[in-house]
Amino acid sequence: MLDQFRKRLRAAVRRLRRVERRELQDFRRWAEVTKNLVHLSMLVFVPLAIVLVTTLANAVPQLSFLLFPPLAAGSYTLFVDPTSKYSDPKRFVAGLTIGAVCGLGALAVSNSYLTAAGGQFGVNALGAGLAVFATGVVTWPLDIEEPSSYSTALLALLVEPNQRATFVASIFLASTLVAVLFVIWREQFYEQRATYLYESMSGDDHVLVPMRGDSAGQTAMLGARLAAAHEAGKVVLLDVVSDSDTATARQALTRDTIQMDIRSESGSDSPSARTRLVGDGGDPATAGMSPDKTDLEAEVDWLETHADRIETRTGVSCQVVVASDDGSPAKTTLQTAAETNCDLIVAPYESQHGALTPYLQRLFRSQSDIVVHRSRSDRTRWKQVIVPVRSVSDVAHNMVDFATRLAGRSGRVAVATCIGSRGDRRRAEEMLADLIEPYEGAFETRVPRTSIQTFLSDTASQYDLVMIGASRDRSKASRFISPPTFERLEDVETDIAIVDRGRP
């Protein structure tokens, strides 16, 4: 009984950990969307700023509580759009302070020269108008217009005569404190959010490539160039053989090649780094095909030749794995990725009756990040990449990151979104600007008023690669009515990469 209880307890703990990891992963991907991150930060840092100012006000009784309403509004303006012109810390401090000074100046003028009666709060109506007018006149030519400055100008009319200098000092000190907090948040977190939140920026550099089909060599080079962007990158070339060929494969493998029996409980041999480098000439498709070798031995030589070529061209460490097939190539691929510590699978495109093969569909349903490459030529470099997106999302971030890796410093990345004939162009342009802002490189943004299929049919030939999302979040009914974009691009002769993030 006790043993059963312990087993159930351990099982419950494992389930709770899986749920916790899944929820944490979902939250992280939700926070990758800049709009969500900004609003979340606003809920945290604006109240924190008010707490700090309130604590200061309680410690220094001379600080006026009247400064809190414009300070809260100004703090919101800072954090809600960190890249706008109103999110300038200097503008924020100067605008609030000048508003307070203009309000006090208008109050002095109204008390001395204007005779209009005050209202319920004893505020001269003409003085209130003069305060707002003076604030606009002063801030406009100085280019420090701040919405909250008009609030401080009006609140200055309510300040007691003996508290006027203190009120201005309070505005300056409190706004400076908020501005310092904003600068720290923007420079240390917001502008570095890609490093903290975008998993592909620090991961997706251990790449597994299933060597399937005629274009496996080009796909392997694509995976290698993705891995080469990170210093710790590596590539694993996978070949799956039947159980009857396992013994022959073990004899055929060199010391640089790993033989793995996925179903074996004893695990795989320890991988060793490849160090042999060869020249760039020759055709990998025919390398090592001597009459004295078996088909399997020739296959292994073919894989090793690809591995040597990848190391020579990209400088990325490359390994070759021959795994035993247990009846499910997709399962074998996923298990091999786990065994070799690969966090990205780059697979050649396969279709069946106009749709993805069951093998690729199984990969897309997995927890691994997937890139499916459809090669239309012998291209092994992709310097001009176009990335069509629908919205800012974790997949969109992955696509932009992968595109910048492939293009490098000398290449070019275009990010596009199609809005149709009635779409909001300004909103689309802001969305694209927000998407590419965390990344370095040469970008162009395109907002065509047409369908994605028409747009790519007309422009894809200008680029080396089209990188699109897998649209896995769509329902079956939606897919039936409108097939995924990549299934409607059969006539496009440019290489295509289909990207999807794994789901926990």
Side-chain angles (χ1 to χ4, degrees), residues 38-319:
V38 167
H39 281 81
L40 181 63
S41 299
M42 210 163 47
L43 292 177
V44 174
F45 287 95
V46 173
L48 177 61
I50 298 303
V51 167
L52 293 177
V53 174
T54 304
T55 302
L56 179 63
N58 291 336
V60 183
Q62 289 79 12
L63 295 181
S64 174
F65 192 79
L66 291 175
L67 63 90
F68 286 89
L71 194 66
S75 300
Y76 174 86
T77 303
L78 277 179
F79 284 93
V80 73
D81 190 357
T83 60
S84 72
K85 70 174 185 178
Y86 294 114
S87 293
D88 182 351
K90 295 180 181 179
R91 179 192 301 271
F92 173 71
V93 175
L96 290 179
T97 305
I98 288 178
V101 172
C102 290
L104 293 177
L107 179 62
V109 171
S110 64
N111 289 340
S112 301
Y113 301 104
L114 303 178
T115 58
Q120 179 180 358
F121 300 101
V123 176
N124 189 303
L126 295 178
L130 181 62
V132 173
F133 175 77
T135 302
V137 168
V138 174
T139 57
W140 182 14
L142 295 178
D143 195 27
I144 53 173
E145 291 178 292
E146 167 64 36
S148 297
S149 61
Y150 295 97
S151 299
T152 57
L154 291 175
L155 289 175
L157 302 178
L158 302 177
V159 177
E160 297 294 332
N162 60 344
Q163 294 290 322
R164 291 172 182 173
T166 303
F167 176 73
V168 175
S170 300
I171 289 290
F172 176 78
L173 292 176
S175 59
T176 300
L177 181 62
V178 173
V180 169
L181 180 62
F182 170 75
V183 170
I184 294 174
W185 169 80
R186 186 173 65 179
E187 294 184 356
Q188 301 300 320
F189 181 73
Y190 178 78
E191 293 181 352
Q192 306 296 325
R193 63 190 183 278
T195 303
Y196 298 134
L197 294 177
Y198 302 172
E199 294 179 350
S200 64
M201 296 291 286
S202 58
D204 285 339
D205 52 3
H206 291 182
V207 181
L208 177 74
V209 182
M211 300 297 285
R212 299 163 57 96
D214 296 335
S215 62
Q218 290 79 15
T219 299
M221 192 61 70
L222 178 72
R225 297 203 183 280
L226 290 176
H230 293 173
E231 293 183 359
K234 76 171 184 178
V235 177
V236 177
L237 305 183
L238 169 65
D239 187 28
V240 179
V241 300
S242 63
D243 287 343
S244 61
D245 292 331
T246 301
T248 307
R250 187 181 297 275
Q251 297 175 358
L253 302 178
T254 69
R255 64 179 179 85
D256 294 324
T257 310
I258 311 162
Q259 193 277 337
M260 297 179 59
D261 186 347
I262 296 300
R263 298 184 302 167
S264 172
E265 295 181 358
S266 61
S268 62
D269 299 335
S270 299
S272 59
R274 292 179 55 91
T275 57
R276 181 167 54 94
L277 296 178
V278 298
D280 196 34
D283 183 3
T286 60
M289 302 293 284
S290 67
D292 297 332
K293 293 189 176 183
T294 67
D295 290 343
L296 184 56
E297 289 173 327
E299 179 75 11
V300 170
D301 283 349
W302 176 73
L303 291 173
E304 290 184 340
T305 303
H306 274 297
D308 289 334
R309 172 169 286 201
I310 285 173
E311 288 186 338
T312 302
R313 289 191 176 185
T314 67
V316 176
S317 172
C318 189
Q319 300 169 348

